[in-house]
Amino acid sequence: MAQENAAFSPGPEEQPRRRGRQRYVEKDGRCNVQQGNVRETYRYLTDLFTTLVDLQWRLSLLFFVLAYALTWLFFGAIWWLIAYGRGDLEHLEDTAWTPCVNNLNGFVAAFLFSIETETTIGYGHRVITDQCPEGIVLLLLQAILGSMVNAFMVGCMFVKISQPNKRAATLVFSSHAVVSLRDGRLCLMFRVGDLRSSHIVEASIRAKLIRSRQTLEGEFIPLHQTDLSVGFDTGDDRLFLVSPLVISHEIDAASPFWEASRRALERDDFEIVVILEGMVEATGMTCQARSSYLVDEVLWGHRFTSVLTLEDGFYEVDYASFHETFEVPTPSCSARELAEAAARLDAHLYWSIPSRLDEKVEEEGAGEGAGGGAGADKEQNGCLPPPESESKV
């Protein structure tokens, strides 16, 4: 009994041998990967819309301002060239002269007319006349091109503003993952929650184990990704995320932690990346939140503190205790050793119960035989007595 209790006790704290590890995914979900030596940069221009959306805000605003300013300057210069080529600038005081654009007396006036044309302001002071066919063609081109620039730039800004990246900031993950028993089996668990009252629709959770490995042929695979089952087969990976939920990965024979004991886990080098996906209820756009756990952020023998309480007519979530854990009795052995010990215990109970019944039957039979030999035809050792003919022979 002492040995059994010792196997299920947390054991003393040890100082494991640590190796510095660079995170693959930061705690806030940013992927710590930079693309270097990309020679085919033209590919970014083939998808210019996505490139502009992915730019930083200061660069996006700069490009937004330049797109309009350069367009206005370009067409303003053309309006000025038309006026200069027709001689409108030389007949400013000639009332009998019909210019291409009334009251266009210089480059500044041409620039202002370009702005009025493209933005359809139309103050009425500068206006094109019907005696300038080249100006009419240019007016049509600027109106069409201006509409395209408006659609493109406003679309980029709208998509950038409505991106659900900031929505992921209100989806929180526990600061630590824990390993403890659930229904007699070791489980790796972490907690997720949503701080907003508008919920994530069709939420689903995934988990990846990031760990370098070497194949049997000697090939080294850095940052190898392995799926951690969080209920895909049973549908438990689809979440109704109204209140914080504890996501559990059962350490079974298919788990990469099947043979990992507490000491082996503390000396291992890995990263667990968790990914929460769903649609934002307000906008219908897909949102993804990510986080990760290193080896020293996995607590063996801990369990999460409950954060849900029943109040008068409603449930209340206490997010002050969202990251809190407490210690619970947990075996320090691996899940495989725990399963083998449970199997041996079940086998011992299975065979010990019939043996004890047999001993009891033998004791009763011996007592009846000493009282007169009548027990010869009784059941012996849990079996039926032999037939009467065989007993006479």
PDB file of all heavy atoms in Angstrom, residues 284-295:
ATOM      1  N   GLY A 284     -19.547  37.791 -39.220  1.00  0.00           N
ATOM      2  CA  GLY A 284     -19.533  36.574 -40.015  1.00  0.00           C
ATOM      3  C   GLY A 284     -18.185  36.227 -40.597  1.00  0.00           C
ATOM      4  O   GLY A 284     -18.073  35.286 -41.390  1.00  0.00           O
ATOM      5  N   MET A 285     -17.129  36.947 -40.227  1.00  0.00           N
ATOM      6  CA  MET A 285     -15.788  36.679 -40.730  1.00  0.00           C
ATOM      7  C   MET A 285     -15.091  35.656 -39.839  1.00  0.00           C
ATOM      8  O   MET A 285     -15.350  35.567 -38.643  1.00  0.00           O
ATOM      9  CB  MET A 285     -14.970  37.967 -40.795  1.00  0.00           C
ATOM     10  CG  MET A 285     -15.585  39.045 -41.656  1.00  0.00           C
ATOM     11  SD  MET A 285     -14.557  40.522 -41.802  1.00  0.00           S
ATOM     12  CE  MET A 285     -13.207  39.886 -42.783  1.00  0.00           C
ATOM     13  N   THR A 286     -14.219  34.875 -40.458  1.00  0.00           N
ATOM     14  CA  THR A 286     -13.497  33.841 -39.731  1.00  0.00           C
ATOM     15  C   THR A 286     -12.399  34.447 -38.879  1.00  0.00           C
ATOM     16  O   THR A 286     -11.642  35.309 -39.340  1.00  0.00           O
ATOM     17  CB  THR A 286     -12.895  32.820 -40.709  1.00  0.00           C
ATOM     18  OG1 THR A 286     -13.937  32.266 -41.510  1.00  0.00           O
ATOM     19  CG2 THR A 286     -12.203  31.703 -39.953  1.00  0.00           C
ATOM     20  N   CYS A 287     -12.323  33.990 -37.649  1.00  0.00           N
ATOM     21  CA  CYS A 287     -11.331  34.489 -36.700  1.00  0.00           C
ATOM     22  C   CYS A 287     -10.493  33.313 -36.206  1.00  0.00           C
ATOM     23  O   CYS A 287     -11.012  32.208 -36.013  1.00  0.00           O
ATOM     24  CB  CYS A 287     -12.030  35.191 -35.534  1.00  0.00           C
ATOM     25  SG  CYS A 287     -10.933  35.659 -34.186  1.00  0.00           S
ATOM     26  N   GLN A 288      -9.208  33.561 -36.011  1.00  0.00           N
ATOM     27  CA  GLN A 288      -8.316  32.523 -35.495  1.00  0.00           C
ATOM     28  C   GLN A 288      -7.458  33.112 -34.379  1.00  0.00           C
ATOM     29  O   GLN A 288      -6.833  34.153 -34.553  1.00  0.00           O
ATOM     30  CB  GLN A 288      -7.413  31.974 -36.594  1.00  0.00           C
ATOM     31  CG  GLN A 288      -6.541  30.825 -36.132  1.00  0.00           C
ATOM     32  CD  GLN A 288      -5.617  30.291 -37.220  1.00  0.00           C
ATOM     33  OE1 GLN A 288      -4.484  30.745 -37.353  1.00  0.00           O
ATOM     34  NE2 GLN A 288      -6.106  29.336 -38.000  1.00  0.00           N
ATOM     35  N   ALA A 289      -7.461  32.434 -33.248  1.00  0.00           N
ATOM     36  CA  ALA A 289      -6.626  32.818 -32.109  1.00  0.00           C
ATOM     37  C   ALA A 289      -5.646  31.685 -31.831  1.00  0.00           C
ATOM     38  O   ALA A 289      -6.018  30.509 -31.891  1.00  0.00           O
ATOM     39  CB  ALA A 289      -7.477  33.109 -30.879  1.00  0.00           C
ATOM     40  N   ARG A 290      -4.399  32.049 -31.507  1.00  0.00           N
ATOM     41  CA  ARG A 290      -3.357  31.051 -31.282  1.00  0.00           C
ATOM     42  C   ARG A 290      -2.603  31.355 -29.993  1.00  0.00           C
ATOM     43  O   ARG A 290      -2.533  32.510 -29.553  1.00  0.00           O
ATOM     44  CB  ARG A 290      -2.367  31.032 -32.452  1.00  0.00           C
ATOM     45  CG  ARG A 290      -2.963  30.678 -33.783  1.00  0.00           C
ATOM     46  CD  ARG A 290      -1.908  30.725 -34.880  1.00  0.00           C
ATOM     47  NE  ARG A 290      -1.422  32.084 -35.097  1.00  0.00           N
ATOM     48  CZ  ARG A 290      -1.897  32.906 -36.009  1.00  0.00           C
ATOM     49  NH1 ARG A 290      -2.883  32.519 -36.799  1.00  0.00           N
ATOM     50  NH2 ARG A 290      -1.391  34.115 -36.157  1.00  0.00           N
ATOM     51  N   SER A 291      -2.031  30.314 -29.434  1.00  0.00           N
ATOM     52  CA  SER A 291      -1.131  30.446 -28.298  1.00  0.00           C
ATOM     53  C   SER A 291      -0.253  29.198 -28.261  1.00  0.00           C
ATOM     54  O   SER A 291      -0.419  28.280 -29.082  1.00  0.00           O
ATOM     55  CB  SER A 291      -1.908  30.603 -26.985  1.00  0.00           C
ATOM     56  OG  SER A 291      -1.020  30.884 -25.917  1.00  0.00           O
ATOM     57  N   SER A 292       0.683  29.163 -27.330  1.00  0.00           N
ATOM     58  CA  SER A 292       1.591  28.023 -27.262  1.00  0.00           C
ATOM     59  C   SER A 292       2.042  27.804 -25.827  1.00  0.00           C
ATOM     60  O   SER A 292       1.946  28.706 -24.984  1.00  0.00           O
ATOM     61  CB  SER A 292       2.800  28.228 -28.177  1.00  0.00           C
ATOM     62  OG  SER A 292       3.607  29.299 -27.703  1.00  0.00           O
ATOM     63  N   TYR A 293       2.556  26.610 -25.574  1.00  0.00           N
ATOM     64  CA  TYR A 293       3.066  26.228 -24.262  1.00  0.00           C
ATOM     65  C   TYR A 293       4.402  25.523 -24.444  1.00  0.00           C
ATOM     66  O   TYR A 293       4.508  24.549 -25.201  1.00  0.00           O
ATOM     67  CB  TYR A 293       2.089  25.286 -23.544  1.00  0.00           C
ATOM     68  CG  TYR A 293       0.712  25.864 -23.356  1.00  0.00           C
ATOM     69  CD1 TYR A 293      -0.317  25.544 -24.233  1.00  0.00           C
ATOM     70  CD2 TYR A 293       0.432  26.745 -22.314  1.00  0.00           C
ATOM     71  CE1 TYR A 293      -1.590  26.080 -24.070  1.00  0.00           C
ATOM     72  CE2 TYR A 293      -0.827  27.278 -22.142  1.00  0.00           C
ATOM     73  CZ  TYR A 293      -1.826  26.948 -23.019  1.00  0.00           C
ATOM     74  OH  TYR A 293      -3.084  27.477 -22.861  1.00  0.00           O
ATOM     75  N   LEU A 294       5.419  26.037 -23.764  1.00  0.00           N
ATOM     76  CA  LEU A 294       6.714  25.371 -23.729  1.00  0.00           C
ATOM     77  C   LEU A 294       6.736  24.336 -22.611  1.00  0.00           C
ATOM     78  O   LEU A 294       5.761  24.177 -21.870  1.00  0.00           O
ATOM     79  CB  LEU A 294       7.827  26.402 -23.544  1.00  0.00           C
ATOM     80  CG  LEU A 294       7.995  27.424 -24.669  1.00  0.00           C
ATOM     81  CD1 LEU A 294       9.135  28.389 -24.348  1.00  0.00           C
ATOM     82  CD2 LEU A 294       8.233  26.739 -26.004  1.00  0.00           C
ATOM     83  N   VAL A 295       7.859  23.648 -22.491  1.00  0.00           N
ATOM     84  CA  VAL A 295       7.960  22.573 -21.507  1.00  0.00           C
ATOM     85  C   VAL A 295       7.749  23.105 -20.091  1.00  0.00           C
ATOM     86  O   VAL A 295       7.016  22.494 -19.290  1.00  0.00           O
ATOM     87  CB  VAL A 295       9.338  21.881 -21.623  1.00  0.00           C
ATOM     88  CG1 VAL A 295       9.476  20.784 -20.584  1.00  0.00           C
ATOM     89  CG2 VAL A 295       9.520  21.311 -23.017  1.00  0.00           C
TER      90      VAL A 295
END
